[in-house]
Amino acid sequence: MFKETPTLELKREVTEGLKKEIIAFANTDGGKVLIGVDDDGTVIGLQDAHRELERISSMLRDSIRPDILVHTSAHIVTIEGKEIIEVEVTRGARRPYHLASKGMKPSGVFIRHGTSVSAASDEAIRQM
C-alpha cells in the first residue's frame, strides 16, 4: 500500500498532468511518480506498461525545457503481480524547468508544495 507524500505522487494512468508533476519535482526536491497506482494506494497496474513507458519518454523529451531527461529515470516494476511504472526525478541543475508550450511563466512552471503541485510565482521563477 502506498501513500502520497511530498516526494511521492500516485497516478492511475499516464495523463498530460504527469508533465506538471515531473516539472514540479525537478524544480523542488525531486521525487517519484508511481503510475498504475490509485490515489488510495491500491496497485491497479497498467494494460501495456511498455507502450506507456515509451509515451512517457516522448512526453519528457518533447514537452519539457530545458532537457530534463538527465534528471529522470523511468522503469517498469512488478508489484503484486501487476506492472506499474516508476518515474524517479532528481532536483534539476538547470531550473526552472517548464512546459515548452507555455514558456517560463507561471502557467508553465510548477513547484511541489506538500503533496500538491502549484504554478510557480514570478518571484519563485526569478529565484530559481
Side-chain angles (χ1 to χ4, degrees):
M1 208 55 137
F2 297 98
K3 184 175 172 21
E4 286 193 350
T5 68
T7 56
L8 180 66
E9 178 68 25
L10 308 176
K11 293 264 177 232
R12 275 184 82 83
E13 59 196 0
V14 177
T15 63
E16 288 297 302
L18 178 62
K19 293 185 262 191
K20 293 179 183 179
E21 299 289 350
I22 289 170
I23 288 171
F25 278 138
N27 283 338
T28 25
D29 297 320
K32 266 185 204 174
V33 183
L34 299 180
I35 305 160
V37 181
D38 220 340
D39 282 343
D40 67 5
T42 306
V43 177
I44 53 177
L46 296 166
Q47 286 291 333
D48 188 345
H50 293 277
R51 186 174 54 82
E52 294 299 321
L53 195 57
E54 284 178 27
R55 209 169 128 209
I56 292 166
S57 295
S58 298
M59 252 185 189
L60 299 181
R61 187 180 56 247
D62 301 338
S63 306
I64 299 174
R65 298 288 173 268
D67 184 350
I68 201 167
L69 291 176
V70 295
H71 296 291
T72 59
S73 69
H75 49 276
I76 297 168
V77 181
T78 303
I79 297 176
E80 297 172 11
K82 298 173 184 141
E83 286 187 330
I84 67 166
I85 296 174
E86 179 181 89
V87 182
E88 290 186 69
V89 185
T90 59
R91 180 183 168 108
R94 295 171 59 205
R95 302 175 313 138
Y97 292 87
H98 58 277
L99 289 170
S101 61
K102 302 273 189 195
M104 215 175 314
K105 49 187 192 252
S107 61
V109 180
F110 305 94
I111 55 174
R112 184 96 174 160
H113 190 75
T115 56
S116 62
V117 168
S118 55
S121 64
D122 287 317
E123 177 64 22
I125 293 169
R126 272 195 303 279
Q127 285 178 8
M128 283 188 244

